[in-house]
Amino acid sequence: MATAGKVIKCKAAVAWEPNKPLVIEDIEVAPPQANEVRIKIVATGVCHTDLYHLFEGMHKDGFPAVLGHEGAGIVESVGPGVSEFQPGDRVIPLFISQCRECRFCKSPKTNQCEKGWAADHYDVMALADSRFTCKGKKVLQFMGTSTFSEYTVMNQIAVAKIDPAAPLDKVCLLGCGVCTGFGAAVNTAKVEPGSTCAVFGLGAVGLAAVMGCKFAGAKRIFAVDTNPEKAEKARVFGATDFVNPKDYNKPISKVLAEMTNGGVDYSLECVGNVDVMRSALESCMKGWGVSVVVGWTDKHDFSARPIQLIAGRTWKGTLFGGFKSKDGVPQMVKAYMERKVKLDEFITHNMTLTQVNEAIELMKRGGCIRTVLSVSRQ
């Protein structure tokens, strides 16, 4: 392409400081260096983790940054040493690397990787190095991705090549939320056929967890949320029951225990709230119940009575649904193309990058499941 090897000037939504609206700016995106790929972002979802960094985490060293980490796009150019990708490839940027060489990548027990921001930068949620500048200042790449920009630069170990026929404005959701929830049920909880499950929180991640429970063959799936408007959507993804904690004057764990003769086999917390995490654990059946922490947060300690675990429950966490990123995302794209998993049903709003603050406010007040932003034309 004519832009290869050159600095690209483009539009991006910059978070200059925490707890403030994003600003659409003209930024400079440097050419890819060794083992890097520059990507034209076509579409991106707005995920709660973007809001977490902006309004909750608010780490002083995490700004200015370009947010966004749930995108899809087209390779514009590649740096030296890149053989896996070429201009024109359809790709999904990944916030978890898969180098295939480190001890984590070589282990079937985890999807973690020793390389990339996620290795030890959970507080700042970005590496110090960046290919972005704006008004003479370095701008951080949030979660190593920054999909609220027309162009971004990624290391090739954090990019997945996908089916060129896949619609980018749909499969972008596989960059975070849908894989996270679906995989939490299928890969991490390992939901079994005929089991009972409870999913706490019915945003995109929670609904994807419901879908994962159904996919795995659960016979009864309780969708738990304080918003009664989520009930109908939950049934679309496979929920058999909707439970609103506000409808009861007893703990939700006791409600579920009474409805299931002791508790569910699997529970998944998809909110990122430490109190809900405990409720989800206590909703599990003693002896064999498994509870998975899916919701992202690093603000508070959580707690439980030791007897909850002594009695045989398992409490575990998941990142990106346990998917090894470069392997798992193309598989999920294939599953979508074969109509084995849903994506379209998650999307409640479509907007443009210039409307990003409107999309953020919509999510803050619970007015959407997923908003997809059109970033640039294909």
Side-chain angles (χ1 to χ4, degrees):
M1 292 188 180
T3 49
K6 300 176 183 177
V7 173
I8 289 179
K9 291 191 175 183
C10 68
K11 299 290 185 186
V14 178
W16 286 107
E17 54 186 314
N19 208 23
K20 293 288 177 66
L22 307 188
V23 182
I24 302 297
E25 302 276 17
D26 291 308
I27 70 166
E28 296 82 39
V29 182
Q33 297 184 12
N35 300 312
E36 292 181 344
V37 178
R38 188 159 60 184
I39 302 166
K40 178 183 182 180
I41 299 295
V42 172
T44 181
V46 179
C47 174
H48 185 266
T49 309
D50 299 310
L51 276 67
Y52 173 84
H53 185 70
L54 190 62
F55 300 116
E56 296 178 54
M58 299 194 298
H59 195 286
K60 61 180 176 58
D61 295 330
F63 298 86
V66 174
L67 302 182
H69 62 285
E70 194 177 74
I74 302 167
V75 173
E76 172 268 339
S77 61
V78 301
V82 175
S83 57
E84 185 181 347
F85 302 95
Q86 58 187 17
D89 284 346
R90 268 52 177 174
V91 295
I92 291 178
L94 306 167
F95 69 86
I96 292 186
S97 303
Q98 187 184 353
C99 72
R100 305 188 193 279
E101 297 172 352
C102 73
R103 56 182 171 162
F104 293 121
C105 283
K106 288 180 177 179
S107 170
K109 296 179 180 179
T110 183
N111 65 336
Q112 305 270 336
C113 176
E114 287 188 324
K115 298 179 181 177
W117 76 273
D120 56 8
H121 291 80
Y122 284 118
D123 50 356
V124 178
M125 300 185 79
L127 291 172
D129 199 15
S130 171
R131 302 288 168 262
F132 295 156
T133 54
C134 182
K135 299 178 179 177
K137 293 184 177 180
K138 180 178 71 174
V139 178
L140 298 175
Q141 288 184 240
F142 177 67
M143 296 178 76
T145 53
S146 291
T147 57
F148 292 174
S149 172
E150 291 177 332
Y151 287 87
T152 191
V153 178
M154 308 279 304
N155 191 293
Q156 63 178 342
I157 64 173
V159 181
K161 187 190 298 186
I162 62 169
D163 184 342
L168 299 180
D169 61 342
K170 305 293 192 300
V171 297
C172 62
L173 301 187
L174 295 172
C176 182
V178 174
C179 281
T180 296
F182 185 87
V186 175
N187 301 327
T188 307
K190 292 182 167 56
V191 170
E192 296 176 328
S195 60
T196 59
C197 303
V199 176
F200 291 72
L202 300 176
V205 173
L207 291 171
V210 169
M211 181 170 69
C213 293
K214 172 83 182 298
F215 182 89
K219 76 174 179 189
R220 199 168 181 193
I221 303 167
F222 294 88
V224 183
D225 202 289
T226 56
N227 182 352
E229 294 179 3
K230 298 286 183 73
E232 186 177 342
K233 200 74 167 177
R235 293 186 189 281
V236 169
F237 288 97
T240 57
D241 301 77
F242 177 81
V243 182
N244 185 342
K246 290 183 177 178
D247 291 343
Y248 301 90
N249 57 5
K250 63 180 79 170
I252 187 64
S253 57
K254 291 189 176 180
V255 173
L256 289 169
E258 290 171 3
M259 298 172 82
T260 57
N261 190 27
V264 297
D265 301 310
Y266 304 93
S267 67
L268 299 105
E269 191 278 351
C270 301
V271 180
N273 179 297
V274 294
D275 294 326
V276 180
M277 291 171 191
R278 181 167 183 167
S279 293
L281 174 69
E282 293 174 347
S283 299
C284 278
M285 186 72 179
K286 68 179 181 181
W288 61 71
V290 174
S291 187
V292 181
V293 176
V294 191
W296 179 280
T297 185
D298 193 25
K299 292 286 289 178
H300 307 287
D301 293 340
F302 61 7
S303 63
R305 291 292 180 94
I307 192 64
Q308 299 286 356
L309 303 183
I310 292 169
R313 296 175 183 85
T314 300
W315 209 4
K316 61 203 300 190
T318 187
L319 185 63
F320 198 51
F323 281 107
K324 286 188 180 285
S325 57
K326 286 173 74 77
D327 295 338
V329 167
Q331 292 169 3
M332 286 292 284
V333 170
K334 184 173 185 284
Y336 167 70
M337 298 296 280
E338 294 174 352
R339 302 192 177 186
K340 293 177 181 176
V341 300
K342 302 178 189 292
L343 288 180
D344 303 45
E345 292 82 356
F346 288 95
I347 302 169
T348 53
H349 298 77
N350 288 277
M351 298 183 185
T352 64
L353 181 62
T354 56
Q355 296 172 290
V356 63
N357 288 313
E358 188 179 334
I360 287 171
E361 287 303 314
L362 193 63
M363 175 166 271
K364 276 178 73 175
R365 64 175 186 264
C368 66
I369 301 299
R370 262 302 183 268
T371 298
V372 171
L373 304 178
S374 172
V375 181
S376 54
R377 293 181 180 176
Q378 294 192 42

